[in-house]
Amino acid sequence: MPHVRMLKEGNLKKLLSGILCLGIASSCFANEVSFEQYVEGLKLQAKEEGISDEIISEAFSNVEYKPRAVKADRNQPEKRLTLDEYIPRAVPDWKVKQAKELYNKHYTELKRIGDEYGVQPRFIVALWGVESNFGRFMGNYSVIDALSTMAYDGRREEFFRKEAMAALTILQEGHIEPENMKGSWAGAMGQSQFMPSSFLAFAADGNGDGKKDIWHNKEDVFASTANYLSQSGWNDSYTWGRQVKLPAGFDMTLEGRIEGKEKTLAEWNQLGITRFNGSSLPQVDVDAWLTAPDNANGRVYLVYNNYNVLMKWNRSYYFALAVSHLADRIVY
């Protein structure tokens, strides 16, 4: 194989040892082969999965190990803010102002795409704002560099190898050039911050040019976001939920966003839960879950299935609530 012949003979044993380590100990590669040799293994896997020699050569031509990506992965903040602390930071007034301006500026495209996919435009804009500050912060890492680095590091090797293969597939399909495929330290890409596998599953061509460009084309960003939500179970007949107040002595064993704990708004109303302003809950026939991320002494919400869909996008209560809060402030 030409990729194997590129290695010095003395390193071949290490490369083959590394290949045999696939799927076993996460530290195996770091202990047995260099990053450069590990990349040769990625190239071999890509070839086996049908990626062309041309794309493999272009994608890996200047690949570099990025220690800053590993550091970012290992040093994610441990301090947990309360929602009262987090929401104002995640959704400051200046971001709300920009969201409203961009919502109005792009409303024609947003309305068309929202109608096509069955998603309210305000949620498309809110996700855009929370994920990348409306496309301003997409990350400056080469996606191939980031994914190769994270796979080699080994903590979640299988996941990042899969994402690396998905990224190469995106390149092979011609949606972006290798030098323009930029993202976060973890490989999240573009204005919607899709991982490559999410791109392959949900990215959409919003302007009909035959490409799915979530880096530069806003209509593609909007359509991809809407398609993700739509395919994940979004229902534009409803909103996401609402902040509520609990009566004194409320039974908190009813709290939880799991199957079997949902109740209709009428049932929650009978249990004494009100809107945050103290008025009765809406008379709408929809199931809702009670969630209290900071316990009963913090913010408490009744959330609908659309909120569950936001949790599929990012499995963080805080993220989903930031998006929901911004979506509400865009139009209310």
Side-chain angles (χ1 to χ4, degrees):
M1 288 186 180
H3 295 299
V4 173
R5 286 198 297 272
M6 290 171 62
L7 296 175
K8 292 182 180 179
E9 185 174 341
N11 290 330
L12 179 59
K13 182 177 180 181
K14 287 187 176 182
L15 172 61
L16 295 175
S17 174
I19 293 172
L20 290 174
C21 287
L22 275 168
I24 308 177
S26 62
S27 61
C28 181
F29 289 100
N31 290 338
E32 295 294 333
V33 300
S34 68
F35 176 70
E36 291 74 20
Q37 292 163 340
Y38 184 81
V39 167
E40 293 301 321
L42 289 175
K43 291 179 180 179
L44 291 173
Q45 181 179 346
K47 177 116 176 136
E48 290 174 359
E49 296 192 13
I51 304 299
S52 71
D53 290 338
E54 180 181 4
I55 291 297
I56 292 172
S57 177
E58 289 181 11
F60 290 105
S61 62
N62 296 305
V63 67
E64 294 182 358
Y65 179 74
K66 297 294 185 182
R68 285 191 301 120
V70 176
K71 185 177 179 180
D73 182 48
R74 294 179 179 175
N75 295 321
Q76 295 183 65
E78 295 181 4
K79 183 180 184 297
R80 187 169 180 266
L81 302 174
T82 67
L83 282 169
D84 282 336
E85 295 169 323
Y86 173 77
I87 293 294
R89 296 187 188 189
V91 189
D93 288 342
W94 63 261
K95 181 169 283 189
V96 174
K97 182 175 183 288
Q98 289 186 7
K100 289 181 176 181
E101 291 172 351
L102 291 166
Y103 176 86
N104 292 325
K105 178 180 179 180
H106 298 290
Y107 186 75
T108 299
E109 308 98 282
L110 287 163
K111 179 71 164 58
R112 172 179 61 82
I113 289 167
D115 287 346
E116 178 180 352
Y117 289 97
V119 176
Q120 302 95 312
R122 62 191 178 100
F123 287 96
I124 299 173
V125 174
L127 278 162
W128 185 29
V130 172
E131 277 290 10
S132 68
N133 192 21
F134 314 107
R136 293 184 183 91
F137 302 125
M138 294 184 283
N140 291 317
Y141 284 88
S142 156
V143 169
I144 297 299
D145 284 2
L147 295 173
S148 299
T149 295
M150 297 309 298
Y152 177 69
D153 179 60
R155 191 168 75 85
R156 290 179 288 166
E157 185 200 355
E158 183 179 354
F159 170 77
F160 284 111
R161 285 186 77 97
K162 175 186 172 186
E163 294 298 335
M165 296 304 117
L168 293 169
T169 301
I170 293 166
L171 294 174
Q172 181 144 296
E173 291 180 355
H175 299 293
I176 191 78
E177 297 75 31
E179 64 270 21
N180 294 326
M181 190 185 236
K182 302 292 185 180
S184 73
W185 59 263
M189 310 182 306
Q191 299 187 35
S192 49
Q193 290 290 279
F194 277 2
M195 292 300 291
S197 60
S198 291
F199 181 103
L200 293 177
F202 302 111
D205 177 7
N207 68 341
D209 68 353
K211 290 190 176 184
K212 301 171 183 177
D213 183 358
I214 62 171
W215 291 267
H216 309 107
N217 189 294
K218 290 182 176 60
E219 289 176 84
D220 288 2
V221 173
F222 300 159
S224 299
T225 299
N227 188 40
Y228 187 109
L229 296 178
S230 178
Q231 289 201 43
S232 300
W234 193 268
N235 184 342
D236 65 352
S237 296
Y238 303 106
T239 184
W240 65 274
R242 67 191 63 251
Q243 189 175 358
V244 295
K245 280 188 175 180
L246 302 178
F250 186 82
D251 180 6
M252 288 305 292
T253 63
L254 299 175
E255 187 266 347
R257 199 181 54 84
I258 59 175
E259 186 176 354
K261 288 201 170 186
E262 70 275 14
K263 298 182 185 297
T264 65
L265 289 184
E267 290 173 323
W268 289 119
N269 197 62
Q270 290 173 356
L271 290 170
I273 294 180
T274 67
R275 299 179 197 239
F276 190 66
N277 65 8
S279 62
S280 297
L281 296 172
Q283 295 183 4
V284 179
D285 185 18
V286 59
D287 286 339
W289 290 259
L290 182 69
T291 181
D294 294 336
N295 69 49
N297 296 320
R299 297 191 184 201
V300 182
Y301 300 87
L302 283 176
V303 297
Y304 310 151
N305 190 61
N306 283 345
Y307 180 85
N308 295 334
V309 173
L310 292 175
M311 290 286 291
K312 293 178 183 178
W313 181 294
N314 185 317
R315 296 175 185 176
S316 163
Y317 283 100
Y318 281 29
F319 174 89
L321 288 169
V323 171
S324 301
H325 184 69
L326 180 54
D328 281 355
R329 291 198 63 188
I330 288 172
V331 296
Y332 298 132

